[in-house]
Amino acid sequence: MRYPETKTTDKILGHPLNAWYAAAWDHEVTTGGIFSRTVANRPLALYRTADGRPVALADACWHRLAPLSMGKRVGDDEVQCPYHGLRFNSAGRCTSMPAQKTVNPSAMVPSFPVVERHRFLWVWPGDPTLADPDTVPDMHQMSSPDWAGDGLTIPAKANYQLILDNLMDLTHEEFVHSTSIGQEELSESDFDVTHDERTVTVTRWMLDIEPPPFWLKNLRDRFPGFEGRVDRWQIIRFEAPSTIRIDVGVAKAGTGAPEGDRSQGVNGYVMNTITPETDRTSHYFWAFMRNYRLDSQLITTQTRDGVSKVFAEDERMLVAQQEAIDANPGHEFYSLNIDAGGMWVRRIVERMLRAEQLVAAGS
């Protein structure tokens, strides 16, 4: 699918609130402490109850807005404000006011729905009555025994939509990642785009090409001493509001990978879920999962470190792009045919925002 060059004025939309966002890796939030994280401009205090259930409260005490994350865990499911000692339970209700015997019944802080899934804690910052755990984005490879891998978090100083743009169009690899995963066939190859109300998929195949360094190393991990040409694929799947799984890999050329037989290749999933922190900063959670040599921690560590270097190149570009946008607030973006997937992503996000605005206007 090809699009003509078009001008777009909505280069930076807001972020939907009625959606699940990854707030932290599951191991970052413990029963003994309080973890601070801002999601969609909402400072949160994250912790676990005594039985391990995750909790997300607004990180501001009802009394004088002191950050609850500076306080401490008390009892089975409570936190204590560091300023005057008020205690709040996991529902956000104040249970104790040390300076007086009577607890003001209005003393509450917002409590947000939380789901633990796919090695992440997901928070719903919008209307809690709409929070359906079944709509948590699909990242099942993260916790499946059929896949192995690891990842990190990038504190990106860029709007989350810029990161989505970056991931939906991988032709930039030819120029940004020329020494690892980039090659000229990326820009030369055709691609297909499909979409529905919540997802966008961009599919690209590059047949009978030389493997770039990153993929040659991965092939040799499975097929020692491999030499020759490969068929390479990138299947990018966006799921609203900000999760992108990229099915990637290479197989020995002509062995049937385009028809579904990947047995003569190596397959990975680049897992990405981007959480808006503010309008200009994001929490970028990523991992690389593979379905071969599952018992090798060495390959897991080498691959994570290699992908981390690749993403550091993306981060530098995204930060520079955000700085340029801030310095040129009146500039309008243009979209090329390679931006087709990203354009559909923006339409989905815009539709979600419009729906929220209509509800707010009618309330």
Side-chain angles (χ1 to χ4, degrees), residues 82-359:
Y83 200 5
H84 297 97
L86 278 70
R87 292 169 59 162
F88 298 88
N89 64 20
S90 59
R93 182 170 295 280
C94 184
T95 62
S96 173
M97 292 179 170
Q100 60 190 57
K101 295 181 179 180
T102 302
V103 175
N104 187 319
S106 69
M108 292 190 68
V109 296
S111 178
F112 299 89
V114 185
V115 172
E116 185 169 2
R117 194 168 297 171
H118 311 317
R119 292 168 62 181
F120 296 117
L121 297 185
W122 302 82
V123 173
W124 182 281
D127 182 350
T129 66
L130 301 177
D132 180 358
D134 289 340
T135 61
V136 170
D138 178 13
M139 300 185 79
H140 70 272
Q141 288 88 353
M142 294 291 295
S143 51
S144 169
D146 297 327
W147 296 82
D150 201 2
L152 296 168
T153 308
I154 299 173
K157 294 182 179 179
N159 181 278
Y160 83 111
Q161 289 181 1
L162 299 181
I163 304 174
L164 295 179
D165 286 345
N166 173 272
L167 292 167
M168 292 304 295
D169 165 36
L170 297 183
T171 61
H172 74 270
E173 292 178 356
E174 179 182 346
F175 311 101
V176 180
H177 311 304
S178 59
T179 62
S180 56
I181 56 177
Q183 55 191 142
E184 62 184 15
E185 286 87 353
L186 286 157
S187 296
E188 296 172 351
S189 60
D190 289 332
F191 61 93
D192 293 312
V193 180
T194 59
H195 64 92
D196 57 29
E197 291 186 354
R198 291 186 55 82
T199 70
V200 180
T201 301
V202 178
T203 302
R204 173 181 278 108
W205 281 89
M206 293 153 279
L207 304 180
D208 194 22
I209 63 173
E210 292 292 335
F214 175 83
W215 284 114
L216 181 58
K217 186 269 181 193
N218 289 338
L219 268 173
R220 288 175 174 171
D221 283 339
R222 186 177 181 190
F223 303 103
F226 172 83
E227 296 288 346
R229 298 172 73 82
V230 299
D231 295 332
R232 181 181 181 184
W233 66 89
Q234 297 173 331
I235 304 172
I236 310 164
R237 187 177 189 276
F238 163 85
E239 185 173 354
S242 54
T243 294
I244 295 177
R245 292 182 302 152
I246 310 178
D247 174 1
V248 293
V250 294
K252 299 176 185 179
T255 58
E259 292 73 39
D261 180 2
R262 300 179 179 182
S263 62
Q264 298 303 302
V266 286
N267 189 189
Y269 264 85
V270 186
M271 314 294 281
N272 312 271
T273 189
I274 300 91
T275 298
E277 179 185 35
T278 68
D279 294 340
R280 288 176 171 78
T281 59
S282 306
H283 307 294
Y284 181 0
F285 300 93
W286 68 267
F288 186 92
M289 309 299 293
R290 71 182 186 282
N291 64 355
Y292 58 93
R293 299 281 306 274
L294 301 182
D295 59 342
S296 175
Q297 181 59 43
L298 175 62
I299 292 177
T300 295
T301 301
Q302 288 177 336
T303 305
R304 182 200 63 200
D305 292 349
V307 175
S308 182
K309 292 176 182 177
V310 171
F311 281 2
E313 295 171 335
D314 283 313
E315 184 182 5
R316 286 193 292 272
M317 182 60 67
L318 290 164
V319 170
Q321 186 184 14
Q322 182 66 63
E323 291 174 348
I325 290 172
D326 293 342
N328 299 275
H331 183 76
E332 296 179 334
F333 274 15
Y334 285 83
S335 291
L336 306 175
N337 60 348
I338 56 175
D339 299 310
M343 290 169 69
W344 281 113
V345 167
R346 289 173 180 271
R347 287 170 183 153
I348 290 173
V349 172
E350 186 175 21
R351 192 181 308 127
M352 295 175 70
L353 289 167
R354 190 181 304 117
E356 292 182 8
Q357 292 164 359
L358 288 174
V359 171

Side-chain angles (χ1 to χ4, degrees), residues 56-76:
L57 300 181
D59 196 12
C61 180
W62 168 84
H63 175 222
R64 288 292 187 269
L65 299 182
L68 295 177
S69 60
M70 294 177 63
K72 63 181 181 179
R73 280 277 293 107
V74 291
D76 288 340

